[in-house]
Amino acid sequence: MEYNFKEIESNWQAYWAKHKTFAAKDGGDKPKYYVLDMFPYPSGAGLHVGHPLGYIASDIVARYKRHKGFNVLHPMGYDSFGLPAEQYAIQTGQHPKITTENNIAVYRRQLDKIGFSFDWDREVRTSNPEYYKWTQWIFIQLFNSWYNKSSDKAETISTLISEFETNGNSKVNAACEESVQSFTAAQWKAFTEKEQSDILMAYRIAYLGEAYVNWCPQLGTVLANDEVKDGVSERGGYPVERKLMKQWSMRINAYAQRLLDGLDTLDWTDSLKEAQRNWIGKSEGTSLRFKVIRHPELVSGSQEMLKQVQHDIEVFTTRPDTIFGVSFLTIAPEHELVESLTTAENKAAVEAYVTQAKNRSERERQADVTKITGVFTGSYVEHPFTGKQIPVWIGDYVLAGYGTGAVMAVPAHDSRDYSFAKHFGLPIIEVVKGGDLEKESYDAKEGILINSDFLNGLQVKDAMKLAMQEIEIQRLGKKKLNFRLRDAVFGRQRYWGEPIPVYYKNDIPYVLAENELPLVLPEVDKYLPTEDGEPPLARASSSWKYKGEFDYEHSTMPGWAGSSWYFLRYMDPHNGSVFADKKLTDYWQQVDLYIGGSEHATGHLLYVRFWTKFLKDLGYIDIDEPAKKLINQGMIQGLSSKAFRVSFGVSHTSIADSPDSKKELLPVKEIPPVFVSKSLFDSFNKEEWTADRQMAIDKISEIGNIITKQLQALHPDKVGKLSFNESIFQINVDVNLVSKGNILNVESFKNWREEYKSAHFLLEENGDYICGTEVEKMSKSKYNVVTPDDIAEKFGSDTLRLYEMFLGPLEQSKPWNTNGITGVHGFLKKLWKLFYGTGTFAVSDDEPTKGELKTLHKTIKKITEDIERFSFNTSISNFMICVNELTDAKCNKRAVLEPLLICLSPYAPHIAEELWKQLGHAESISTAPFPDFNEAYLVDDSVNYPVSFNGKVKFTLELAATLTAPEVEAIVMANEQTSKFLDGKQPKKVIVVHKKIVNMVV
RNA sequence: GCGCACGUGGCGUAAUUGGUAGCCGCGCCAGACUUAGGAUCUGGUCCGUGAGGGUGGGGGUUCGAGUCCCUUCGUGCGUACCA
């Protein structure tokens, strides 16, 4: 019987589904193991071969752990809220729910075909109201919490309110808005409800706050920092600008230190942890206040009044040691003191500058970081130690959102201040020796302090300490930690997301009660903002109001909301009374292995850690981190095929033809497309002139002439001829039209597009049309998408699974290329043959030979080690070696083949199940215990010793394994080959590494 | 600029702690069986006729380096005025 993968695979997929083979049990004697894939957004394009890479790896681990006696949780679901479905809805009017459901159906069909061992009874969809009820519930907990820095965790807001009622806020040590004023208990009680609400808002972890946000006009929504790449939106690539808006946000900044510390406990890749560390961006420094010296003309009052209105500019610096090098202050254009610092004569210039700086899009700002702009305010501050007057400038190199939005500029020792100072001719004061300030600033943190009063002569490190001390003693400022990590904007002005469970009464936001959840997404007539710029939810019917009266929040939650806790829901996916039963979260604990793309490094993976810590603070779960071990699978890029299209124009052939003759030229539109094969393109594409290049041009011109004649025959009244524009465009060709060796199927290509029907081709000498290739992202628009379905159709899913793993290390990115797939497929056929060697199923019950047992146990050992270190590509080669050896030995013995099948079943489950059944087993192979490997079978009687001279191996000696090192040395020294290579000399030293190698120093 | 990976045959890759570099697969070459093959099977395949050379280049540590250290070049990814 032939290896009929199609039948085998569909049979077993049906069997698994019917018997719920992979359903996880909540509890039991077995140890638990939780393997999770980052769940997909179900896009309209379906899965391509890159998507399953990580799923295959995690499935191998899941199946392996089941064999090893673990109770495995291996779920899958969909991150089903998101922009593409909504964009599609805007274009077509189709409800995103329908689009999403259709896409999910396609995904599911594709996933099932690959034979994953998911427990589908636990599937979650973030857009399902039963799911997002709990996303909303978590939001409410975040709203009803504040971050107590003293206990270093989130606490319920009621503890804060009772503190306000007894002591006011003077003793409160919270992560909150800087702008909060202090008040007493009496004052608190006297505040109106609105005032109290506003104050509490400054403390809540989910809060409504005014902040500069990334506004994307084309998408009509704000975006989080991690959704913006290079100043444009990550999805769609639309420009993003900064805008001051009132927005729901998450006080993730409160967790910055814990998010940083937690990294040390995680078994994640260094690059991923490093990316998070950079994103969190901790820096230790000091805050420092500079007294503003009021310009007399600013104040229309007496000197007395002048003193009263004085205020300070607070800066943040990590280099307090360079305090004597400050020659100016720079504040951000958005700084709150801009207006009050600006003198009358500078007013016009400052206003113009600020307006211009604010209107610049994020992209423009990033694009010309080298362009230095700024303006003088006219005001001065006093140097805290020298008392000298220091000018205050405005510059957009200072970011409003970081530190205090103001810096003390030390041009001698900070490259940005240096460029600014050079550009505006401001003084540069050297305070640390070691650099050449004519050329550049000296930013290094080493050297001796000069020009620095009490710091003179000190090393930078010591100067930092002393300066810091002095600043604190004189109460000019204090030590401060700063994090680059900004609070995360949580509102999106979009339709297809979780409604934020908030309503407004008298302009005060209130959250819904738990029993009022879920707040279901209302129907709208259009998925666009309203005329006055309100989000789409404002289009909901007038009955969509809280208690029929109060407006709901019109923003929805961002994409990362649902994915920030889904790993918990899988533990208890159908619970209607709690997001997940504590007993179950305690049982399943952390994800043991999490696999997904590295693009989530600073988004999802940071937010999910944040929510996990938050839920722990409130006592809902007992774990601090969502995933113990994480692997980033590499991206599979597409291999695009390119055809080379010649560009022709039409020109006049003679003076008689010239424009004055008023004869019409041949129509450019009717020129048939002309494609040249790769070698011609390559010849043409050479930088310098070569004979080859000229030949290519001649050939192209020649075909131009032929086409000219054809066109002239069609249009006898018109004049002109085709001329080669000396340019050839590369166009993407559907990879399905190209066969091995990049040969284009010309006939299919002509039928591909109406416009190519009449195409001309300049072929290779052998008559083929050869395409070019390029590695690009796999995408519909590049016609380079290869779906897993294509591969499964041709070779079967087991081959697909093995081949994706065989491609190379999991973490590595690589282009998709089916060159080696026949080898992997051949391996499965060879395996099949071990059982069906004679044409019918035949397995012997004979005792295996020593050699066969060695092959088997060597394989068990290697496979076990490979899986434990997630090295799947090497396991495939080890299986191949094993099957090759067994084939050579003509081994069809049950005692060898049975354990081998179990080892293979995580990788190629369908064929393993089928052969397992043929061997007479009634139960699925999936829980058969993984074979133990026995060292005894691997022990060799002899060792092949390489004998080397000065590290170069000259010959090998087969010696008994029982020999000791000195015995080996004696035998080697007595060997005639040794004396030949020694050539009569005495070796200086002989090294014998037992059972490894012999080396002689001559 | 900064951070993190990574450079090995024609190609994808292997070599867990320093111990015979090139396993496995593709491709290629030769042969067998076939009307035929993008089927199957067998043998060969780092370069060099050979001594020998060889893991991007240079240097070092070591009896011994693809592996460790320094330096340099190149590629990929992330990030970017974070004071």
Side-chain angles (χ1 to χ4, degrees):
Chain A
M1 199 171 95
E2 284 287 294
Y3 167 43
N4 184 347
F5 54 83
K6 270 190 194 163
E7 202 184 307
I8 294 170
E9 289 176 359
S10 64
N11 283 349
W12 283 102
Q13 282 158 15
Y15 176 96
W16 296 328
K18 189 178 158 204
H19 293 85
K20 295 193 186 299
T21 309
F22 307 113
K25 287 186 192 67
D26 296 318
D29 303 334
K30 293 177 175 178
K32 70 96 194 182
Y33 194 85
Y34 187 178
V35 202
L36 184 63
D37 298 286
M38 290 186 192
F39 63 175
Y41 173 80
S43 82
L47 290 175
H48 63 65
V49 286
H51 292 109
L53 185 71
Y55 305 157
I56 294 169
S58 64
D59 198 58
I60 289 169
V61 175
R63 287 173 178 272
Y64 168 74
K65 289 286 177 182
R66 286 191 199 99
H67 288 301
K68 279 284 190 182
F70 286 83
N71 182 25
V72 173
L73 176 56
H74 186 41
M76 180 48 86
Y78 306 96
D79 189 12
S80 48
F81 271 133
L83 281 180
E86 183 164 357
Q87 291 297 88
Y88 188 73
I90 292 169
Q91 286 161 24
T92 63
Q94 170 150 270
H95 197 294
K97 192 174 150 187
I98 296 168
T99 315
T100 304
E101 272 168 14
N102 292 344
N103 293 349
I104 286 177
V106 172
Y107 265 60
R108 178 62 192 274
R109 196 173 40 73
Q110 289 184 298
L111 289 171
D112 280 348
K113 246 187 165 174
I114 304 173
F116 292 122
S117 65
F118 295 127
D119 179 355
W120 281 110
D121 289 345
R122 292 176 185 255
E123 180 202 286
V124 301
R125 301 179 183 189
T126 56
S127 61
N128 188 332
E130 275 117 58
Y131 180 89
Y132 70 68
K133 170 181 177 179
W134 298 108
T135 311
Q136 292 172 333
W137 179 85
I138 294 171
F139 173 87
I140 292 170
Q141 310 311 307
L142 287 156
F143 178 86
N144 283 329
S145 300
W146 64 292
Y147 199 89
N148 187 343
K149 282 189 184 169
S150 299
S151 61
D152 202 18
K153 59 184 214 176
E155 292 177 14
T156 159
I157 200 89
S158 56
T159 61
L160 184 67
I161 294 172
S162 60
E163 171 68 17
F164 286 171
E165 282 167 352
T166 46
N167 297 314
N169 70 347
S170 58
K171 288 187 199 151
V172 172
N173 184 16
C176 65
E177 301 300 314
E178 301 257 336
S179 56
V180 173
Q181 307 284 317
S182 60
F183 53 82
T184 63
Q187 282 173 310
W188 169 258
K189 286 175 192 156
F191 287 143
T192 63
E193 196 186 353
K194 169 77 177 145
E195 283 166 331
Q196 289 189 343
S197 163
D198 287 349
I199 288 167
L200 286 173
M201 202 53 96
Y203 290 86
R204 295 182 192 277
I205 294 180
Y207 66 97
L208 193 56
E210 196 154 85
Y212 278 94
V213 295
N214 306 303
W215 173 253
C216 180
Q218 269 88 339
L219 290 173
T221 186
V222 302
L223 298 169
N225 286 342
D226 60 279
E227 292 168 319
V228 181
K229 294 257 141 73
D230 302 321
V232 298
S233 66
E234 197 182 20
R235 290 243 161 133
Y238 304 110
V240 169
E241 51 196 53
R242 282 175 303 163
K243 197 173 171 185
L244 193 65
M245 277 180 88
K246 213 162 195 197
Q247 280 297 315
W248 284 100
S249 297
M250 291 283 164
R251 214 174 293 284
I252 188 173
N253 202 278
Y255 282 86
Q257 186 65 51
R258 282 168 64 190
L259 288 169
L260 200 57
D261 295 341
L263 290 173
D264 297 332
T265 68
L266 298 177
D267 185 7
W268 294 11
T269 60
D270 286 339
S271 62
L272 186 64
K273 291 204 262 191
E274 205 51 35
Q276 291 214 344
R277 283 193 193 102
N278 289 339
W279 193 260
I280 294 167
K282 178 180 178 174
S283 58
E284 290 171 71
T286 178
S287 70
L288 184 55
R289 283 189 308 277
F290 285 79
K291 252 187 223 151
V292 175
I293 307 164
R294 277 292 173 140
H295 205 279
E297 69 187 63
L298 267 176
V299 184
S300 57
S302 64
Q303 287 292 310
E304 287 303 303
M305 272 184 72
L306 193 151
K307 268 183 194 155
Q308 278 172 19
V309 294
Q310 262 190 7
H311 40 207
D312 302 333
I313 298 176
E314 190 176 322
V315 301
F316 172 73
T317 179
T318 53
R319 293 293 301 274
D321 56 307
T322 61
I323 179 74
F324 290 95
V326 177
S327 55
F328 56 99
L329 249 55
T330 317
I331 63 174
E334 297 89 351
H335 198 277
E336 52 179 7
L337 296 178
V338 164
E339 209 178 319
S340 61
L341 286 168
T342 305
T343 57
E345 57 185 18
N346 293 294
K347 201 167 175 225
V350 168
E351 275 175 5
Y353 179 71
V354 168
T355 316
Q356 176 234 319
K358 277 185 184 167
N359 288 340
R360 262 168 107 192
S361 76
E362 211 36 26
R363 179 165 216 169
E364 281 168 350
R365 205 181 59 79
Q366 287 188 7
D368 28 71
V369 277
T370 46
K371 202 170 134 198
I372 294 149
T373 63
V375 65
F376 179 46
T377 59
S379 289
Y380 293 83
V381 291
E382 192 181 288
H383 191 284
F385 292 118
T386 65
K388 267 201 244 165
Q389 290 204 355
I390 294 174
V392 179
W393 284 69
I394 301 170
D396 70 352
Y397 79 94
V398 177
L399 301 177
Y402 183 77
T404 59
V407 301
M408 58 174 226
V410 186
H413 306 290
D414 181 289
S415 55
R416 296 151 304 181
D417 297 339
Y418 183 87
S419 326
F420 197 83
K422 279 274 177 187
H423 190 260
F424 291 106
L426 296 160
I428 296 169
I429 310 161
E430 181 175 35
V431 289
V432 181
K433 272 205 281 195
D436 177 4
L437 297 181
E438 286 303 307
K439 283 196 206 131
E440 56 184 4
S441 63
Y442 178 66
D443 297 14
K445 287 182 186 173
E446 44 191 69
I448 306 285
L449 273 283
I450 53 168
N451 300 327
S452 293
D453 193 3
F454 64 92
L455 299 174
N456 279 337
L458 291 174
Q459 285 286 345
V460 166
K461 261 190 191 160
D462 303 322
M464 272 195 198
K465 268 187 214 149
L466 190 62
M468 193 84 101
Q469 246 176 45
E470 203 53 34
I471 288 165
E472 287 194 322
I473 288 166
Q474 297 200 26
R475 295 176 164 269
L476 299 165
K478 55 184 173 193
K479 266 191 196 166
K480 203 174 161 188
L481 277 184
N482 242 324
F483 295 97
R484 211 181 75 113
L485 180 72
R486 306 292 153 76
D487 280 351
V489 177
F490 196 70
R492 296 287 182 278
Q493 289 63 49
R494 304 289 301 203
Y495 176 74
W496 192 230
E498 299 89 343
I500 294 177
V502 164
Y503 65 91
Y504 294 88
K505 184 172 157 187
N506 301 326
D507 213 22
I508 301 173
Y510 295 91
V511 287
L512 269 58
E514 188 177 328
N515 62 16
E516 291 166 332
L517 296 179
L519 173 58
V520 177
L521 192 59
E523 297 301 317
V524 292
D525 57 340
K526 264 194 231 169
Y527 304 99
L528 287 169
T530 64
E531 254 106 78
D532 23 324
E534 278 278 291
L537 288 196
R539 293 178 176 273
S541 83
S542 53
S543 63
W544 193 65
K545 289 200 190 297
Y546 183 72
K547 300 223 184 286
E549 191 176 353
F550 306 108
D551 276 342
Y552 284 119
E553 168 64 51
H554 289 155
S555 304
T556 52
M557 297 189 197
W560 54 267
S563 59
S564 295
W565 71 282
Y566 77 114
F567 78 102
L568 294 167
R569 187 65 178 173
Y570 282 133
M571 299 173 185
D572 193 9
H574 308 297
N575 200 324
S577 52
V578 58
F579 71 91
D581 191 321
K582 178 104 188 333
K583 269 188 260 152
L584 293 178
T585 57
D586 283 351
Y587 174 71
W588 289 110
Q589 300 261 329
Q590 275 177 308
V591 173
D592 294 282
L593 175 66
Y594 196 21
I595 297 187
S598 56
E599 67 272 21
H600 297 109
T602 51
H604 163 62
L605 289 175
L606 210 50
Y607 299 128
V608 70
R609 295 182 60 219
F610 161 42
W611 280 29
T612 303
K613 287 178 191 302
F614 170 76
L615 289 171
K616 170 156 199 235
D617 286 352
L618 264 55
Y620 292 115
I621 54 173
D622 267 339
I623 51 156
D624 202 31
E625 289 286 348
K628 201 186 307 179
K629 162 106 190 151
L630 185 141
I631 299 178
N632 289 129
Q633 93 272 21
M635 238 208 340
I636 291 194
Q637 295 122 316
L639 195 62
S640 310
S641 288
K642 305 275 181 178
F644 308 100
R645 182 169 177 176
V646 177
S647 166
F648 279 116
V650 179
S651 63
H652 298 276
T653 46
S654 63
I655 297 175
D657 248 18
S658 73
D660 354 316
S661 74
K662 301 210 168 136
K663 278 198 176 169
E664 269 186 67
L665 280 174
L666 290 167
V668 176
K669 273 188 205 158
E670 286 181 28
I671 302 173
V674 174
F675 295 94
V676 297
S677 188
K678 186 166 186 300
S679 62
L680 267 170
F681 172 76
D682 288 344
S683 310
F684 167 77
N685 213 23
K686 281 181 187 138
E687 295 274 314
E688 310 134 39
W689 182 90
T690 59
D692 275 358
R693 186 171 197 271
Q694 192 53 53
M695 205 150 72
I697 293 173
D698 290 347
K699 275 192 179 169
I700 292 166
S701 305
E702 199 182 305
I703 197 152
N705 293 338
I706 294 170
I707 297 169
T708 304
K709 278 186 194 131
Q710 292 173 355
L711 280 178
Q712 277 170 347
L714 279 169
H715 303 278
D717 54 325
K718 297 189 178 162
V719 296
K721 63 173 281 206
L722 264 60
S723 58
F724 179 34
N725 285 340
E726 303 250 332
S727 71
I728 298 180
F729 299 103
Q730 299 196 31
I731 63 155
N732 281 72
V733 176
D734 189 330
V735 289
N736 295 308
L737 303 178
V738 179
S739 52
K740 224 171 171 181
N742 298 317
I743 299 166
L744 180 70
N745 183 332
V746 173
E747 284 313 307
S748 316
F749 179 72
K750 281 179 160 179
N751 290 325
W752 188 40
R753 290 278 161 82
E754 188 58 37
E755 53 178 310
Y756 298 156
K757 282 249 151 65
S758 56
H760 290 248
F761 297 88
L762 283 175
L763 305 170
E764 302 291 329
E765 277 176 15
N766 65 2
D768 287 334
Y769 185 95
I770 307 288
C771 295
T773 56
E774 197 175 327
V775 174
E776 294 176 303
K777 211 180 144 180
M778 219 178 249
S779 89
K780 245 180 174 175
S781 62
K782 297 194 166 75
Y783 306 106
N784 61 357
V785 173
V786 182
T787 69
D789 313 57
D790 297 344
I791 305 294
E793 181 65 25
K794 252 186 169 160
F795 299 100
S797 305
D798 281 336
T799 298
L800 170 75
R801 291 170 64 108
L802 290 178
Y803 186 59
E804 292 225 3
M805 292 298 102
F806 187 65
L807 235 36
L810 182 61
E811 300 90 331
Q812 227 165 74
S813 287
K814 49 235 156 186
W816 179 257
N817 171 338
T818 50
N819 284 349
I821 200 160
T822 53
V824 171
H825 190 63
F827 155 73
L828 287 178
K829 284 200 219 166
K830 222 165 161 179
L831 171 82
W832 187 261
K833 266 198 175 164
L834 288 175
F835 295 80
Y836 280 91
T838 54
T840 50
F841 187 82
V843 171
S844 105
D845 283 321
D846 293 350
E847 279 297 304
T849 65
K850 213 178 161 190
E852 288 164 350
L853 284 172
K854 189 180 171 188
T855 296
L856 173 67
H857 283 267
K858 188 178 70 186
T859 307
I860 296 171
K861 181 169 190 250
K862 291 224 159 148
I863 298 306
T864 310
E865 287 166 356
D866 286 344
I867 298 190
E868 300 284 351
R869 66 191 169 104
F870 310 102
S871 172
F872 304 106
N873 54 325
T874 52
S875 355
I876 314 288
S877 355
N878 283 318
F879 280 125
M880 289 175 173
I881 293 167
C882 178
V883 168
N884 288 347
E885 285 179 11
L886 294 180
T887 302
D888 289 345
K890 298 195 166 55
C891 172
N892 68 339
K893 291 166 188 162
R894 174 184 291 271
V896 174
L897 296 182
E898 250 187 28
L900 174 63
L901 279 185
I902 301 171
C903 292
L904 183 70
S905 95
Y907 294 83
H910 308 88
I911 193 172
E913 287 273 27
E914 181 65 24
L915 292 170
W916 185 251
K917 189 178 138 195
Q918 301 292 326
L919 283 169
H921 296 276
E923 294 284 306
S924 157
I925 195 174
S926 61
T927 50
F930 205 81
D932 285 319
F933 118 85
N934 188 343
E935 185 77 53
Y937 295 119
L938 298 194
V939 178
D940 281 310
D941 296 338
S942 63
V943 178
N944 193 20
Y945 278 97
V947 181
S948 55
F949 296 80
N950 291 331
K952 302 278 173 219
V953 177
K954 297 296 179 186
F955 62 94
T956 61
L957 274 184
E958 187 86 16
L959 299 175
T962 48
L963 293 174
T964 63
E967 285 167 345
V968 169
E969 181 173 344
I971 294 170
V972 169
M973 291 314 291
N975 188 281
E976 58 180 52
Q977 289 202 75
T978 307
S979 32
K980 193 182 102 196
F981 281 102
L982 282 175
D983 197 20
K985 283 173 227 136
Q986 215 24 264
K988 281 194 199 128
K989 202 173 170 186
V990 180
I991 292 114
V992 178
V993 183
H994 197 223
K995 293 191 177 179
K996 280 262 163 71
I997 197 167
V998 179
N999 189 22
M1000 265 170 248
V1001 190
V1002 193

